[in-house]
Amino acid sequence: MSHFLLTTVLAGAALALLGFADEPQGGAPESKDRPHAKFRIISEHAELTPGTTETLGLVFTLEPHWHVYFKGAPGGGNPPEIEKASLPAGYSLGEIQWPAPKRYVAPGGIYDSVYEEEVTLLVPLSVPESAKPGDKAKIGLKMNWLECSDVCVFGNGEDAKVLNVAAAKPARSPDAALIEKSRELLPKPWPAEGATATLRDGVLTIQVAGANRLEFYPGPECADVAKAADATISNSETMTIQFLNANKDQVIADGILGVWRPGTQKPSYFSVKKNSSN
Amino acid sequence: MKTSKMSLVALIAAAGIILPAVAMSSPDQKETAPATSTDKKDHKDHKDHKDSPKTEAAAKVGSIAPAFTLSDTDGKTVNLSDFAGKIVVVQWFNPGCPFVKKHYENGANTFNDLNKKYSEKGVVFVAINSGAAGKEGAGKDANVSAKKDWKIEYPILLDDTGKVGKMYGATRTPEMFIINTDGTLAYRGAIDDEPGKNVGKTNYVAKALDEILAGQKVTTAQTKPYGCTVKYGS
């Protein structure tokens, strides 16, 4: 019996070492209520400069098979939001800037826009002129979000970062590359080169000359897209999107357009916003 | 004897490692596994779902709502036609979904309160769970428990093939549909205006029911549903 127990323990330990213990397969059901995304704050510079705007990164690191939602994901999705910010007097945060998400199509053809593995949301921090070199600024954020795999749970987390106010121009922080990577995924103003977008009779038609792939990620104000899983992707230079609004005169088409061109590895992203009542 | 004991130990150890590994790679597990965020095939290319019925808006506001026949958690057959001439509220349901739970737990009682208030005025409520076998909140047991735990007095209908859900184009839980007395769809969309953790201030279903019962036009006949994806099998 003791041999059996020992063997079971050893076999279990071997599985854990191999990393299988985290797989949600078989055996006792995995607890879904524990956090599946970790949150931390990073900054672009190692120190702050009075009277400037510092870029903070809100980093979400997700377990395999889990995702969080883009602001504007068709199902609402409860994307990450700042529940509470603790800042020194005179400091303030701007709006979260959302990098382009990825497509997610669930069984039944249900479309969502999500972030997998790791995402860095950007948020500007205004540093007051009155900040004095040598001051320490503690930035605390409490966040909440929805995290999903085959199931969904509400997640939350908090982090605080202490940054010194510098006398001279501060050096970039070791995390600056993460912020830069995310910045490359922010949408640029419309139009893309050689692009047109029209919204007529509840139909958005986008054409980008020379593109060989287009992806549209609906934004928070966007009307419901019909057949979204199919309509939001095109392997040509044209994309046609129909909306479900009963009143075709009150359609808002809002989102990020990803544009792939032959010979380029990375897509470019653009903000698209059209209002049929204009 | 020592040798045979060692062999037994080795066999158990091997079984302890091999059997879970086999279980993890079984076709059944893969077939019932959800589309996960790391499944690049699903994300980079949606062809996997191209041939499966899509949950587009089959049930359109102003058109006749699709007929259905389903069994409830007691095994009783329920037809939409059973309620001919009545206002019917259909709630897409998954007891494991946090957006559903928030309306039944922590002091909230949204759906039961709606049912209580409007059933007195002749309105019929039904919930439909289109989750496939093995998916979150799917199956008879989970829904019998939810009905009991949350004191739900209206029937929960089981649609494990997802056929009815896809006919209606239901994509989220909770997603709401109101069928008017003439059989036409009067409202489809969210239960309320709060797609986060809390219960909303404006309940679109209550608002639409008040308007219908007052003989008025439904002013907000369609909203964007929020919640978990309906856990279809394919």
Side-chain angles (χ1 to χ4, degrees), chain A residues 239-257:
Chain A
M239 170 177 273
T240 303
I241 293 174
Q242 294 192 11
F243 298 95
L244 297 176
N245 284 47
N247 190 341
K248 292 182 168 40
D249 295 329
Q250 294 180 357
V251 173
I252 295 176
D254 158 50
I256 296 176
L257 183 75

Side-chain angles (χ1 to χ4, degrees), chain A residues 3-4 7-8 11 14-15 20 23 25-26 33 64-67 72 74-78 83 102-112 116-117 144 146 149-154 156 213 215 219-224 227 229-230 233 244-246, chain B residues 5 9 12-13 16-17 20-21 23-24 29 33-38 40 42-46 49-50 52-57 96-99 101-102 135-136 166 170-172 194-197 222-234:
Chain A
H3 278 297
F4 178 81
T7 305
T8 305
L15 286 172
F20 292 157
E23 291 288 335
Q25 306 279 355
D33 292 335
H65 309 291
W66 287 79
H67 55 254
N78 204 62
E83 191 172 310
K102 292 182 179 176
R103 293 167 53 79
Y104 180 88
V105 181
I110 304 173
Y111 173 83
D112 267 316
E116 310 160 338
E117 297 170 359
N144 69 66
L146 184 76
S149 59
D150 53 331
V151 301
C152 296
V153 293
F154 288 120
N156 61 74
R213 182 182 177 92
E215 288 188 6
E221 292 182 69
C222 197
D224 257 356
K227 303 178 188 175
D230 290 333
I233 186 168
L244 297 176
N245 284 47
Chain B
K5 267 190 180 177
V9 168
I12 292 168
I17 292 168
M24 279 188 287
Q29 289 275 13
T36 59
S37 58
T38 51
K40 303 296 182 193
D42 274 350
H43 298 180
K44 301 295 182 192
D45 185 344
H46 61 298
H49 300 288
K50 200 171 183 180
S52 62
K54 295 297 189 295
T55 51
E56 61 213 47
C97 169
F99 292 97
K101 286 181 182 177
K102 76 171 186 176
K135 300 271 183 155
E136 179 193 53
K166 288 170 183 173
T171 59
R172 311 285 162 179
E194 175 50 66
K197 292 172 77 171
Q222 190 164 326
T223 61
K224 198 186 281 192
Y226 71 81
C228 307
T229 53
V230 175
K231 305 303 180 191
Y232 292 114
S234 60

Side-chain angles (χ1 to χ4, degrees), chain B residues 60-104:
Chain B
K60 289 182 180 167
V61 171
S63 299
I64 295 290
F68 60 77
T69 301
L70 292 168
S71 293
D72 69 11
T73 48
D74 295 325
K76 184 185 165 192
T77 300
V78 175
N79 294 292
L80 179 60
S81 58
D82 296 342
F83 313 120
K86 294 185 175 180
I87 299 167
V88 182
V89 175
V90 184
Q91 168 200 353
W92 250 267
F93 185 75
N94 167 3
C97 169
F99 292 97
V100 173
K101 286 181 182 177
K102 76 171 186 176
H103 290 288
Y104 291 100

Side-chain angles (χ1 to χ4, degrees), chain B residues 185-205:
Chain B
L185 195 67
Y187 173 81
R188 65 169 296 158
I191 177 67
D192 62 22
D193 59 349
E194 175 50 66
K197 292 172 77 171
N198 302 314
V199 173
K201 288 179 181 159
T202 300
N203 187 300
Y204 296 125
V205 172

